[in-house]
Amino acid sequence: MTTKKTAVITIVQKNTGFYISLYLLVLLTLIAFSSNVLASSIKDLKRQQIDEILFNIHAYYVEDLTLQNSHHIKYNSQQFERLYSKLDSYSKYLNEHELTSLFDNTNGRYTGIGIEVKNIDENMTIVNVVNNSPAKAAGILPSDIIVSVNNQATQNRTIDEVATLIRDSKFSNIELIISRDNNKNPLTFHVARRQINLESVTSELLDFGTGYIAINNFSNHTLHEVALQVAALQSHFGYPLKGLVIDLRDNPGGTLQSAVAVSDLFLQSGTIVTTKGRFYDANQAFYAKRGDILKNAPIVVLINENSASAAEILAAALKDNKRATVVGSQSFGKGSVQSLIPLGDGNTALKLTTAKYFTPLGKSIDGIGITPDVAVNQTNLSQSNKAVIIKNEHTNSNAQLLTGNLADLQLVKAKQLLSMQ
């Protein structure tokens, strides 16, 4: 399948998980630093780093690339790049900046302006604006198109190139020229980069004693945040929830450990996920322990084509164990596990696909995705759009227009299913 290209500027990656011999750090994600694994940074690698990368590919990569099984063969630059290009799009050499960004994002923070972009019809289109971010404060909106960054046109540039323009800017304020549908002339915004704390989980009250939580990504804090949000919903009603909607739409993934732990919150028993690879420690099985935070109250899980990796683990765990009804559209289908392998002095690393994961029923969803129990297709909704619809806010004309034009059909179906149980 073709990898969907989405990125949070500056380009960040979510994830960490269990350790393999205290050496490999397990990652799950949809958002990649680049779909082109031949990043310019590998052209500057030293001989020792190349040797390390070759050894780790041979030892741990999920597929045997038959590296001629000899440490005596000297790879020249072109041979190395050809071999490197055989890796999947989730495997990549990480320079110091990318490695720092990965760890920051795993801990629920990153430094940037707070926009999620996607290349749509060769336009650098903003698909989401992060809450509590400089971009949000400046008034940048989803569906805005970035025309230029600091007078550098974005046309015909990759997402990584645009991210670099923002990240490496020598100016304290970044100038964005934005094209917006209802404006004849381009808009100019000046936005400063800063550290942003990412909101992993949000919640809302629904009717009839039911609740709603949206898990936006799986970070090291997600388990704690989900537990707190569910407790807050139950405290409001004064009794256990009668049902819960778990919204995983547009969730690109996160840590394996977090996905397993959140799944375990709602399961009394059963397999959560298994992983299989070429070396011993890549083969793992994760099982639920007794204790269901909802005491078996019904659950509906919402997914769409941008629900990936760790989000798919949670959806499949609840679906296959018959703990939840899954509503929405076919998920992304990212069923592989990446490990983070430190290189040299530890300031750089190799992110390498080391295993495939399988649902509780033993199915691989890689390139396929999860099929919902109840299929309901609709236009994607940003997190801000979802919030307006859920709350049914009518605080201004924009909100009224939004609720009039973007009925959340998937959420409506989820609420209907809960009311029937």
Side-chain angles (χ1 to χ4, degrees):
M1 65 179 288
T2 300
T3 301
K4 296 179 176 67
K5 185 66 170 124
T6 305
V8 177
I9 302 295
T10 60
I11 301 296
V12 297
Q13 180 130 9
K14 304 176 171 71
N15 313 337
T16 52
F18 59 88
Y19 285 88
I20 301 175
S21 302
L22 301 179
Y23 185 50
L24 304 181
L25 190 58
V26 170
L27 313 167
L28 288 171
T29 188
L30 164 64
I31 297 179
F33 286 103
S34 173
S35 59
N36 176 10
V37 292
L38 281 177
S40 60
S41 54
I42 71 162
K43 298 182 184 298
D44 302 321
L45 293 179
K46 297 178 181 179
R47 181 74 250 175
Q48 180 181 353
Q49 290 173 304
I50 290 176
D51 288 342
E52 284 187 86
I53 291 173
L54 289 172
F55 170 81
N56 287 307
I57 292 173
H58 177 69
Y60 302 116
Y61 189 58
V62 67
E63 296 176 7
D64 188 354
L65 296 182
T66 59
L67 308 184
Q68 297 173 297
N69 202 24
S70 173
H71 297 295
H72 302 292
I73 295 174
K74 298 296 182 183
Y75 280 79
N76 62 35
S77 177
Q78 290 182 336
Q79 288 172 323
F80 173 65
E81 289 181 15
R82 279 199 299 270
L83 170 67
Y84 190 72
S85 70
K86 293 180 181 179
L87 302 178
D88 65 12
S89 61
Y90 302 108
S91 298
K92 185 182 183 294
Y93 166 78
L94 306 181
N95 62 31
E96 185 173 354
H97 171 78
E98 293 168 326
L99 186 59
T100 299
S101 294
L102 186 152
F103 283 125
D104 282 348
N105 196 250
T106 299
N107 289 313
R109 63 178 184 272
Y110 85 100
T111 298
I113 63 174
I115 55 175
E116 185 179 341
V117 301
K118 195 171 186 177
N119 198 325
I120 301 176
D121 297 329
E122 299 184 355
N123 291 317
M124 204 59 59
T125 306
I126 297 172
V127 295
N128 193 31
V129 182
V130 178
N131 289 330
N132 190 35
S133 70
K136 187 84 168 182
I140 294 173
L141 301 174
S143 298
D144 283 351
I145 295 173
I146 303 174
V147 177
S148 70
V149 177
N150 291 336
N151 294 318
Q152 299 290 316
T154 60
Q155 191 75 20
N156 299 321
R157 292 183 186 267
T158 66
I159 288 179
D160 284 348
E161 289 170 339
V162 174
T164 299
L165 290 176
I166 295 174
R167 184 187 67 227
D168 296 343
S169 172
K170 62 183 179 180
F171 303 105
S172 57
N173 282 325
I174 296 159
E175 182 184 87
L176 298 180
I177 303 298
I178 296 291
S179 173
R180 186 174 291 171
D181 280 344
N182 57 352
N183 288 77
K184 293 182 179 179
N185 299 318
L187 305 175
T188 301
F189 294 89
H190 291 90
V191 188
R193 295 175 68 250
R194 66 170 172 82
Q195 182 171 298
I196 302 169
N197 291 321
L198 299 173
E199 196 174 49
S200 177
V201 183
T202 58
S203 67
E204 298 292 341
L205 299 168
L206 298 180
D207 300 327
F208 312 114
T210 60
Y212 166 99
I213 61 171
I215 304 177
N216 305 319
N217 59 73
F218 287 86
S219 72
N220 291 338
H221 309 295
T222 305
L223 172 65
H224 180 65
E225 291 181 32
V226 169
L228 282 178
Q229 297 283 8
V230 171
L233 291 170
Q234 294 188 142
S235 176
H236 174 85
F237 288 119
Y239 49 79
L241 288 176
K242 295 181 179 179
L244 180 68
V245 176
I246 302 176
D247 193 343
L248 300 177
R249 293 174 296 179
D250 301 321
N251 182 323
T255 71
L256 173 64
Q257 183 181 36
S258 178
V260 169
V262 173
S263 300
D264 197 15
L265 280 178
F266 305 105
L267 292 171
Q268 286 278 13
S269 61
T271 301
I272 295 173
V273 67
T274 58
T275 64
K276 298 177 183 179
R278 283 200 302 122
F279 68 105
Y280 179 80
D281 284 333
N283 298 279
Q284 303 275 335
F286 300 88
Y287 303 99
K289 299 180 289 293
R290 288 190 62 81
D292 177 353
I293 194 173
L294 291 181
K295 302 186 185 305
N296 208 38
I299 299 172
V300 175
V301 174
L302 299 179
I303 60 172
N304 66 4
E305 63 272 19
N306 293 324
S307 305
S309 74
E312 292 173 296
I313 286 178
L314 174 57
L318 298 185
K319 178 185 178 183
D320 284 4
N321 284 290
K322 301 188 183 304
R323 181 65 185 88
T325 302
V326 177
V327 171
S329 53
Q330 195 83 5
S331 64
F332 183 84
K334 198 279 185 181
S336 60
V337 179
Q338 284 68 51
S339 299
L340 190 65
I341 307 172
L343 298 174
D345 59 4
N347 291 327
T348 61
L350 177 66
K351 179 169 65 70
L352 193 67
T353 297
T354 54
K356 301 284 187 180
Y357 73 75
F358 296 82
T359 71
L361 293 181
K363 297 179 181 178
S364 170
I365 58 96
D366 202 40
I368 301 170
I370 295 169
T371 302
D373 298 304
V374 181
V376 180
N377 294 314
Q378 71 175 40
T379 303
N380 289 348
L381 300 170
S382 71
Q383 293 299 326
S384 58
N385 290 351
K386 291 180 199 173
V388 171
I389 292 171
I390 293 161
K391 296 177 182 177
N392 196 27
E393 291 177 343
H394 296 282
T395 56
N396 56 52
S397 58
N398 287 337
Q400 292 174 10
L401 180 64
L402 178 62
T403 53
N405 293 340
L406 285 178
D408 192 338
L409 302 178
Q410 294 169 343
L411 179 58
V412 169
K413 187 62 179 179
K415 292 166 68 174
Q416 179 188 34
L417 290 171
L418 288 179
S419 69
M420 295 167 58
Q421 299 187 48

